[in-house]
Coordinates of all heavy atoms in Angstrom, one line a residue:
K16 N -65.9 0.7 6.6 CA -67.1 0.0 6.0 C -68.4 0.2 6.8 O -69.4 0.1 6.2 CB -66.8 -1.5 5.9 CG -65.7 -1.8 4.9 CD -65.5 -3.3 4.8 CE -64.5 -3.6 3.7 NZ -64.3 -5.0 3.4
V17 N -68.3 0.6 8.1 CA -69.5 0.7 8.8 C -70.0 2.2 8.9 O -71.1 2.5 9.3 CB -69.4 0.2 10.3 CG1 -69.1 -1.3 10.3 CG2 -68.3 0.9 11.1
K18 N -69.1 3.1 8.5 CA -69.5 4.5 8.6 C -70.8 4.8 7.8 O -71.7 5.4 8.4 CB -68.3 5.4 8.0 CG -68.6 6.9 8.1 CD -67.5 7.8 7.5 CE -67.9 9.2 7.5 NZ -67.1 10.0 6.7
P19 N -70.9 4.4 6.5 CA -72.2 4.6 5.9 C -73.4 4.0 6.6 O -74.5 4.5 6.5 CB -72.0 4.0 4.5 CG -70.6 3.7 4.4 CD -69.9 3.7 5.7
L20 N -73.2 2.8 7.2 CA -74.3 2.2 7.9 C -74.8 3.0 9.1 O -75.9 3.2 9.3 CB -73.8 0.8 8.4 CG -73.4 -0.2 7.4 CD1 -72.9 -1.5 8.0 CD2 -74.5 -0.5 6.4
L21 N -73.8 3.6 9.8 CA -74.1 4.5 10.9 C -74.7 5.8 10.5 O -75.7 6.2 11.0 CB -72.9 4.8 11.8 CG -73.1 5.6 13.0 CD1 -74.1 4.9 14.0 CD2 -71.8 6.0 13.7
E22 N -74.2 6.4 9.4 CA -74.8 7.6 8.9 C -76.2 7.4 8.4 O -77.1 8.3 8.7 CB -73.9 8.1 7.7 CG -72.6 8.6 8.2 CD -71.7 9.0 7.0 OE1 -71.8 8.5 5.9 OE2 -70.8 9.8 7.3
E23 N -76.5 6.2 7.9 CA -77.9 6.0 7.4 C -78.8 5.9 8.7 O -79.9 6.4 8.7 CB -77.9 4.7 6.6 CG -79.3 4.3 6.1 CD -79.3 3.0 5.3 OE1 -78.3 2.7 4.7 OE2 -80.4 2.3 5.4
K24 N -78.4 5.2 9.7 CA -79.2 5.0 10.9 C -79.4 6.3 11.6 O -80.5 6.6 12.2 CB -78.6 4.0 11.8 CG -78.7 2.5 11.3 CD -78.3 1.5 12.3 CE -78.3 0.1 11.8 NZ -79.0 -0.8 12.6
E25 N -78.3 7.2 11.7 CA -78.4 8.5 12.4 C -79.1 9.6 11.5 O -79.5 10.6 12.0 CB -77.0 8.9 12.8 CG -76.5 8.2 14.0 CD -77.1 8.7 15.3 OE1 -76.9 9.9 15.7 OE2 -77.9 7.9 15.9
G26 N -79.1 9.4 10.2 CA -79.7 10.4 9.3 C -78.8 11.6 9.2 O -79.3 12.7 8.9
K27 N -77.5 11.4 9.3 CA -76.5 12.5 9.2 C -75.2 12.0 8.7 O -74.9 10.8 8.9 CB -76.4 13.3 10.4 CG -75.9 12.6 11.6 CD -75.8 13.5 12.9 CE -75.3 12.8 14.1 NZ -75.3 13.7 15.3
T28 N -74.3 12.9 8.3 CA -73.0 12.5 7.9 C -72.0 12.9 8.9 O -72.2 13.9 9.7 CB -72.6 13.0 6.5 OG1 -72.6 14.4 6.6 CG2 -73.5 12.5 5.4
F29 N -70.8 12.2 9.0 CA -69.8 12.5 10.0 C -68.5 12.9 9.2 O -68.0 12.2 8.4 CB -69.5 11.3 10.9 CG -70.6 10.9 11.7 CD1 -71.4 9.8 11.4 CD2 -71.0 11.6 12.9 CE1 -72.5 9.4 12.1 CE2 -72.1 11.2 13.6 CZ -72.8 10.1 13.3
D30 N -68.1 14.2 9.4 CA -66.8 14.6 8.8 C -65.7 13.9 9.4 O -64.7 13.7 8.8 CB -66.7 16.1 8.9 CG -67.7 16.9 8.1 OD1 -68.2 16.4 7.1 OD2 -68.1 18.0 8.6
V31 N -65.8 13.6 10.7 CA -64.7 12.9 11.4 C -65.2 11.6 11.8 O -66.4 11.5 12.3 CB -64.3 13.7 12.7 CG1 -63.3 12.9 13.5 CG2 -63.8 15.1 12.4
F32 N -64.4 10.5 11.6 CA -64.9 9.2 11.9 C -63.6 8.3 12.1 O -63.1 7.7 11.2 CB -65.7 8.6 10.8 CG -66.5 7.4 11.2 CD1 -67.7 7.5 11.9 CD2 -66.1 6.1 11.0 CE1 -68.5 6.4 12.2 CE2 -66.8 5.0 11.3 CZ -68.0 5.2 12.0
T33 N -63.1 8.4 13.3 CA -61.8 7.8 13.7 C -61.9 6.8 14.8 O -62.3 7.3 15.9 CB -60.7 8.9 14.0 OG1 -60.7 9.9 13.0 CG2 -59.4 8.3 14.2
A34 N -61.6 5.6 14.6 CA -61.6 4.6 15.7 C -60.4 4.9 16.6 O -59.3 5.1 16.2 CB -61.5 3.2 15.1
V35 N -60.7 4.9 17.9 CA -59.6 5.3 18.9 C -59.4 4.1 19.8 O -58.4 4.1 20.5 CB -60.0 6.5 19.7 CG1 -60.0 7.7 18.7 CG2 -61.3 6.5 20.4
E36 N -60.3 3.1 19.9 CA -60.2 2.0 20.8 C -61.1 0.9 20.3 O -62.1 1.2 19.7 CB -60.5 2.4 22.2 CG -60.4 1.3 23.3 CD -60.8 1.8 24.7 OE1 -61.0 3.0 24.9 OE2 -61.0 0.9 25.5
F37 N -60.7 -0.4 20.6 CA -61.7 -1.5 20.2 C -61.4 -2.7 21.1 O -60.3 -2.8 21.7 CB -61.6 -1.8 18.7 CG -60.4 -2.7 18.4 CD1 -60.5 -4.1 18.4 CD2 -59.1 -2.1 18.1 CE1 -59.4 -4.9 18.0 CE2 -58.1 -2.9 17.8 CZ -58.2 -4.3 17.7
K38 N -62.4 -3.5 21.2 CA -62.3 -4.8 22.0 C -63.0 -5.8 21.1 O -63.9 -5.4 20.3 CB -63.0 -4.7 23.3 CG -62.4 -3.8 24.3 CD -63.1 -3.8 25.6 CE -62.5 -2.8 26.6 NZ -63.1 -2.8 27.9
T39 N -62.7 -7.1 21.2 CA -63.3 -8.1 20.5 C -63.9 -9.1 21.4 O -63.5 -9.3 22.5 CB -62.3 -8.8 19.5 OG1 -61.3 -9.4 20.3 CG2 -61.8 -7.9 18.5
Q40 N -64.9 -9.8 20.9 CA -65.6 -10.9 21.6 C -65.9 -12.0 20.5 O -66.6 -11.7 19.5 CB -66.9 -10.4 22.2 CG -67.7 -11.5 22.9 CD -69.1 -11.0 23.3 OE1 -69.7 -10.2 22.6 NE2 -69.4 -11.3 24.5
V41 N -65.3 -13.2 20.7 CA -65.5 -14.3 19.8 C -66.8 -15.0 20.1 O -67.1 -15.3 21.2 CB -64.3 -15.2 19.8 CG1 -64.6 -16.4 18.9 CG2 -63.0 -14.5 19.4
V42 N -67.7 -15.0 19.1 CA -69.0 -15.7 19.2 C -69.0 -16.6 17.9 O -68.0 -17.2 17.6 CB -70.1 -14.7 19.3 CG1 -70.2 -14.0 20.6 CG2 -70.1 -13.7 18.2
A43 N -70.1 -16.8 17.3 CA -70.1 -17.5 16.0 C -69.8 -16.5 15.0 O -70.5 -16.1 14.1 CB -71.5 -18.1 15.8
G44 N -68.6 -16.0 15.1 CA -68.0 -14.9 14.3 C -67.3 -14.0 15.3 O -66.9 -14.5 16.4
T45 N -67.2 -12.7 15.1 CA -66.6 -11.8 16.0 C -67.4 -10.5 16.2 O -67.8 -10.0 15.2 CB -65.1 -11.5 15.5 OG1 -64.4 -12.7 15.3 CG2 -64.4 -10.6 16.5
N46 N -67.6 -10.2 17.4 CA -68.2 -8.9 17.7 C -67.0 -7.9 18.0 O -66.1 -8.2 18.7 CB -69.0 -8.9 19.0 CG -70.4 -9.5 18.7 OD1 -71.0 -9.3 17.7 ND2 -70.9 -10.3 19.7
Y47 N -67.0 -6.8 17.3 CA -66.1 -5.7 17.6 C -66.8 -4.6 18.3 O -67.8 -4.1 17.8 CB -65.5 -5.2 16.3 CG -64.6 -6.2 15.6 CD1 -65.2 -7.1 14.7 CD2 -63.3 -6.3 15.8 CE1 -64.4 -8.0 14.0 CE2 -62.4 -7.2 15.2 CZ -63.0 -8.1 14.3 OH -62.2 -9.0 13.7
F48 N -66.3 -4.1 19.4 CA -66.8 -3.0 20.1 C -65.8 -1.9 19.9 O -64.6 -2.0 20.3 CB -66.9 -3.3 21.6 CG -67.9 -4.4 21.9 CD1 -67.5 -5.8 21.8 CD2 -69.2 -4.2 22.1 CE1 -68.4 -6.8 22.0 CE2 -70.2 -5.2 22.3 CZ -69.7 -6.5 22.2
I49 N -66.2 -0.8 19.3 CA -65.3 0.2 18.8 C -65.7 1.6 19.3 O -66.9 2.0 19.1 CB -65.3 0.2 17.2 CG1 -65.1 -1.2 16.7 CG2 -64.2 1.2 16.7 CD1 -65.3 -1.3 15.2
K50 N -64.8 2.3 19.9 CA -65.0 3.7 20.3 C -64.6 4.6 19.1 O -63.4 4.5 18.7 CB -64.2 4.0 21.5 CG -64.5 5.5 22.0 CD -63.6 5.9 23.2 CE -63.9 5.1 24.4 NZ -63.2 5.6 25.6
V51 N -65.5 5.4 18.6 CA -65.2 6.2 17.4 C -65.4 7.7 17.7 O -66.4 8.1 18.3 CB -66.2 5.8 16.3 CG1 -65.9 6.7 15.0 CG2 -66.0 4.3 15.9
H52 N -64.3 8.4 17.4 CA -64.4 9.9 17.5 C -65.2 10.4 16.3 O -64.8 10.1 15.1 CB -63.1 10.5 17.6 CG -63.0 12.0 17.7 ND1 -62.2 12.8 16.9 CD2 -63.8 12.8 18.4 CE1 -62.4 14.0 17.2 NE2 -63.4 14.1 18.1
V53 N -66.3 11.2 16.5 CA -67.1 11.6 15.4 C -67.1 13.2 15.3 O -68.0 13.7 14.6 CB -68.6 11.1 15.5 CG1 -68.6 9.6 15.2 CG2 -69.3 11.4 16.8
G54 N -66.2 13.8 15.9 CA -66.1 15.3 15.8 C -66.3 15.9 17.2 O -66.9 15.4 18.0
N55 N -65.6 17.1 17.3 CA -65.7 17.9 18.5 C -65.3 17.0 19.7 O -64.3 16.3 19.6 CB -67.0 18.6 18.7 CG -67.3 19.5 17.6 OD1 -66.5 20.2 17.1 ND2 -68.6 19.5 17.1
D56 N -66.1 17.0 20.8 CA -65.8 16.1 21.9 C -66.8 15.0 21.9 O -67.0 14.4 23.0 CB -65.9 16.9 23.2 CG -64.8 18.0 23.4 OD1 -63.7 17.7 22.8 OD2 -65.1 19.0 24.0
E57 N -67.3 14.6 20.8 CA -68.3 13.6 20.7 C -67.7 12.2 20.2 O -67.0 12.2 19.3 CB -69.5 14.0 19.8 CG -70.6 13.0 19.7 CD -71.8 13.4 18.8 OE1 -71.8 14.5 18.3 OE2 -72.7 12.6 18.7
F58 N -68.2 11.2 20.9 CA -67.7 9.8 20.6 C -68.9 8.9 20.5 O -70.0 9.2 21.1 CB -66.8 9.3 21.7 CG -65.4 10.0 21.6 CD1 -65.2 11.2 22.1 CD2 -64.3 9.3 21.1 CE1 -64.0 11.9 22.1 CE2 -63.1 9.9 21.0 CZ -62.9 11.2 21.5
M59 N -68.8 7.8 19.8 CA -69.9 6.8 19.8 C -69.2 5.5 20.0 O -68.1 5.3 19.6 CB -70.6 6.9 18.4 CG -71.3 8.2 18.1 SD -72.2 8.2 16.6 CE -73.8 7.7 17.1
H60 N -70.0 4.6 20.6 CA -69.6 3.2 20.8 C -70.4 2.3 19.8 O -71.6 2.4 19.8 CB -69.8 2.7 22.2 CG -68.9 3.4 23.2 ND1 -68.9 3.2 24.5 CD2 -68.0 4.4 23.0 CE1 -68.1 3.9 25.2 NE2 -67.5 4.7 24.3
L61 N -69.7 1.6 19.0 CA -70.3 0.7 18.0 C -70.1 -0.7 18.3 O -69.0 -1.1 18.8 CB -69.7 1.0 16.6 CG -69.5 2.5 16.1 CD1 -68.9 2.5 14.7 CD2 -70.8 3.2 16.1
R62 N -71.1 -1.5 18.0 CA -70.9 -3.0 18.0 C -71.1 -3.5 16.6 O -72.2 -3.4 16.0 CB -72.0 -3.6 18.9 CG -71.9 -5.1 19.0 CD -73.0 -5.6 20.0 NE -73.0 -7.1 19.9 CZ -73.9 -7.8 20.5 NH1 -74.9 -7.2 21.3 NH2 -74.0 -9.1 20.4
V63 N -70.0 -4.0 16.1 CA -70.0 -4.5 14.7 C -69.7 -5.9 14.7 O -68.9 -6.5 15.4 CB -68.8 -3.7 13.9 CG1 -68.7 -4.3 12.5 CG2 -69.0 -2.2 13.9
F64 N -70.5 -6.7 13.9 CA -70.4 -8.1 13.8 C -69.7 -8.5 12.5 O -70.2 -8.1 11.4 CB -71.7 -8.8 13.9 CG -71.7 -10.3 13.8 CD1 -71.2 -11.0 14.9 CD2 -72.2 -10.9 12.7 CE1 -71.1 -12.4 14.8 CE2 -72.1 -12.3 12.6 CZ -71.6 -13.1 13.6
R65 N -68.7 -9.4 12.6 CA -68.1 -10.1 11.4 C -68.4 -11.5 11.5 O -68.0 -12.2 12.5 CB -66.6 -9.8 11.3 CG -66.0 -10.6 10.2 CD -64.5 -10.3 10.0 NE -64.4 -9.1 9.2 CZ -63.3 -8.4 9.2 NH1 -62.3 -8.7 9.8 NH2 -63.3 -7.3 8.4
S66 N -69.1 -12.0 10.5 CA -69.5 -13.5 10.5 C -68.2 -14.3 10.2 O -67.2 -13.8 9.8 CB -70.5 -13.7 9.4 OG -70.1 -13.5 8.1
L67 N -68.4 -15.6 10.3 CA -67.3 -16.5 10.0 C -67.0 -16.5 8.5 O -67.9 -16.2 7.7 CB -67.7 -18.0 10.4 CG -67.9 -18.1 11.9 CD1 -68.5 -19.5 12.2 CD2 -66.6 -18.0 12.7
P68 N -65.7 -16.6 8.1 CA -65.3 -16.5 6.7 C -66.1 -17.3 5.7 O -66.5 -16.8 4.7 CB -63.8 -16.9 6.7 CG -63.4 -16.7 8.1 CD -64.6 -16.9 9.0
H69 N -66.5 -18.5 6.1 CA -67.2 -19.4 5.1 C -68.6 -18.9 4.9 O -69.2 -19.3 3.9 CB -67.2 -20.8 5.6 CG -68.1 -21.1 6.8 ND1 -67.6 -20.9 8.1 CD2 -69.3 -21.5 6.9 CE1 -68.6 -21.2 8.9 NE2 -69.7 -21.6 8.2
E70 N -69.1 -18.0 5.7 CA -70.5 -17.5 5.5 C -70.5 -16.4 4.5 O -71.6 -16.1 4.0 CB -71.1 -17.0 6.9 CG -71.3 -18.2 7.9 CD -71.9 -17.7 9.2 OE1 -71.7 -16.5 9.5 OE2 -72.5 -18.5 9.9
N71 N -69.4 -15.8 4.3 CA -69.2 -14.8 3.2 C -70.3 -13.6 3.3 O -70.9 -13.3 2.3 CB -69.2 -15.4 1.8 CG -68.7 -14.5 0.8 OD1 -67.8 -13.7 1.1 ND2 -69.1 -14.7 -0.4
K72 N -70.5 -13.1 4.5 CA -71.4 -12.0 4.8 C -70.7 -10.7 5.0 O -69.6 -10.8 5.6 CB -72.4 -12.4 5.9 CG -73.3 -13.5 5.7 CD -74.2 -13.8 6.9 CE -75.1 -15.0 6.7 NZ -75.9 -15.3 7.9
P73 N -71.3 -9.6 4.7 CA -70.6 -8.3 5.0 C -70.6 -8.0 6.5 O -71.4 -8.6 7.2 CB -71.4 -7.3 4.2 CG -72.8 -7.9 4.1 CD -72.6 -9.4 4.0
L74 N -69.8 -7.1 6.9 CA -69.8 -6.6 8.3 C -71.2 -6.0 8.5 O -71.8 -5.4 7.6 CB -68.8 -5.4 8.4 CG -67.3 -5.8 8.4 CD1 -66.5 -4.5 8.5 CD2 -67.0 -6.7 9.6
S75 N -71.7 -6.1 9.8 CA -73.0 -5.5 10.1 C -72.8 -4.7 11.3 O -72.1 -5.0 12.3 CB -74.0 -6.6 10.2 OG -73.8 -7.4 11.3
L76 N -73.5 -3.5 11.3 CA -73.5 -2.7 12.5 C -74.7 -3.2 13.3 O -75.9 -3.0 13.0 CB -73.8 -1.2 12.1 CG -73.9 -0.2 13.2 CD1 -72.7 -0.2 14.1 CD2 -74.2 1.2 12.6
H77 N -74.4 -3.9 14.4 CA -75.4 -4.5 15.2 C -76.1 -3.5 16.1 O -77.3 -3.5 16.2 CB -74.8 -5.6 16.1 CG -75.8 -6.4 16.9 ND1 -76.2 -6.0 18.1 CD2 -76.4 -7.5 16.5 CE1 -77.1 -6.9 18.5 NE2 -77.3 -7.9 17.6
S78 N -75.4 -2.6 16.8 CA -76.0 -1.6 17.6 C -74.9 -0.5 17.9 O -73.7 -0.7 17.6 CB -76.5 -2.2 18.9 OG -75.5 -2.9 19.6
Y79 N -75.3 0.6 18.5 CA -74.4 1.6 18.8 C -75.0 2.5 19.9 O -76.2 2.5 20.2 CB -74.1 2.5 17.6 CG -75.3 3.3 17.0 CD1 -75.5 4.6 17.4 CD2 -76.2 2.7 16.1 CE1 -76.6 5.3 16.9 CE2 -77.2 3.4 15.6 CZ -77.4 4.7 16.0 OH -78.5 5.4 15.5
K80 N -74.1 3.2 20.6 CA -74.5 4.1 21.6 C -73.9 5.5 21.3 O -72.7 5.6 21.0 CB -73.9 3.7 23.0 CG -74.6 2.4 23.5 CD -74.0 2.0 24.8 CE -74.6 0.7 25.3 NZ -74.2 0.4 26.7
S81 N -74.7 6.5 21.3 CA -74.2 7.9 21.0 C -74.0 8.7 22.3 O -74.2 8.1 23.4 CB -75.2 8.6 20.1 OG -76.5 8.6 20.7
S82 N -73.6 9.9 22.2 CA -73.4 10.8 23.3 C -72.4 10.3 24.3 O -72.6 10.3 25.5 CB -74.8 11.1 24.0 OG -75.6 11.7 23.1
K83 N -71.3 9.7 23.8 CA -70.3 9.2 24.6 C -69.1 10.2 24.7 O -69.0 11.1 23.8 CB -69.7 7.9 24.1 CG -70.8 6.8 24.2 CD -71.1 6.5 25.7 CE -72.0 5.3 25.9 NZ -72.2 5.0 27.3
T84 N -68.3 10.1 25.7 CA -67.1 11.0 25.7 C -65.8 10.2 25.6 O -65.9 9.0 25.6 CB -67.0 11.8 27.1 OG1 -66.8 10.8 28.1 CG2 -68.3 12.5 27.4
K85 N -64.7 10.9 25.4 CA -63.4 10.3 25.3 C -63.1 9.4 26.5 O -62.5 8.3 26.3 CB -62.3 11.3 25.1 CG -61.0 10.8 24.9 CD -59.9 11.8 24.7 CE -58.6 11.2 24.4 NZ -57.6 12.3 24.1
H86 N -63.6 9.7 27.6 CA -63.2 9.0 28.8 C -64.2 7.9 29.2 O -64.0 7.2 30.2 CB -63.0 10.0 30.0 CG -61.9 10.9 29.7 ND1 -60.6 10.6 29.6 CD2 -62.0 12.2 29.4 CE1 -59.9 11.6 29.2 NE2 -60.7 12.7 29.1
D87 N -65.4 7.8 28.5 CA -66.3 6.7 28.8 C -65.7 5.4 28.5 O -65.1 5.2 27.4 CB -67.6 6.9 28.0 CG -68.5 8.0 28.5 OD1 -68.4 8.4 29.7 OD2 -69.3 8.5 27.7
E88 N -65.9 4.4 29.4 CA -65.3 3.1 29.2 C -66.0 2.4 28.1 O -67.2 2.4 28.0 CB -65.4 2.3 30.5 CG -64.7 0.9 30.4 CD -64.8 0.1 31.7 OE1 -65.4 0.7 32.7 OE2 -64.4 -1.1 31.7
L89 N -65.2 1.7 27.3 CA -65.8 0.9 26.2 C -66.1 -0.5 26.8 O -65.2 -1.2 27.2 CB -64.8 0.8 25.1 CG -65.2 0.0 23.8 CD1 -66.5 0.6 23.2 CD2 -64.1 -0.1 22.8
T90 N -67.4 -0.8 26.9 CA -67.8 -2.1 27.4 C -68.6 -2.9 26.4 O -69.0 -2.4 25.4 CB -68.8 -1.8 28.7 OG1 -69.9 -1.1 28.2 CG2 -68.0 -1.1 29.8
F91 N -68.7 -4.2 26.7 CA -69.5 -5.1 25.9 C -71.0 -4.7 26.0 O -71.5 -4.4 27.1 CB -69.3 -6.5 26.2 CG -67.9 -7.0 26.0 CD1 -67.3 -7.7 27.0 CD2 -67.2 -6.7 24.8 CE1 -66.0 -8.2 26.8 CE2 -65.9 -7.1 24.6 CZ -65.3 -7.9 25.6
F92 N -71.7 -4.6 24.9 CA -73.2 -4.3 25.0 C -73.9 -5.0 23.9 O -73.3 -5.5 23.0 CB -73.5 -2.8 25.0 CG -73.0 -2.1 23.8 CD1 -73.8 -1.9 22.7 CD2 -71.7 -1.6 23.7 CE1 -73.4 -1.2 21.6 CE2 -71.3 -0.9 22.5 CZ -72.1 -0.7 21.5

């Protein structure tokens, strides 16, 4: 669900978009920190927010970091 959001922000499409690791942080909803393989040796770290169920809002791509590698630690940001 967040792939089109990232593609729009980056202005390009990703042929490969595979989540390889994630962490969660409970706030007034849930933050998901996701390491995504986007092709070749390139990875991106995404911060995706899911609101509480009663708010009935879609997932949102809060922020992201590009130019990451497979071995970069996934941290909260």
Side-chain angles (χ1 to χ4, degrees):
K16 292 186 177 187
V17 297
K18 181 182 178 196
L20 301 173
L21 181 63
E22 289 175 336
E23 182 179 329
K24 288 186 183 228
E25 281 286 291
K27 62 182 179 182
T28 59
F29 298 102
D30 293 332
V31 176
F32 197 82
T33 307
V35 295
E36 181 182 348
F37 77 96
K38 295 181 179 183
T39 59
Q40 177 186 43
V41 177
V42 289
T45 305
N46 282 322
Y47 292 90
F48 298 88
I49 309 166
K50 183 186 292 188
V51 178
H52 179 225
V53 293
N55 300 320
D56 292 330
E57 187 179 352
F58 289 77
M59 298 181 91
H60 293 182
L61 313 180
R62 179 177 171 187
V63 176
F64 178 72
R65 173 177 276 164
S66 64
L67 295 170
H69 72 276
E70 293 178 337
N71 199 26
K72 294 181 181 176
L74 289 175
S75 63
L76 177 61
H77 186 272
S78 57
Y79 65 95
K80 295 182 179 183
S81 56
S82 301
K83 293 294 186 177
T84 69
K85 182 178 182 175
H86 301 291
D87 285 339
E88 182 180 357
L89 181 60
T90 58
F91 297 135
F92 61 93

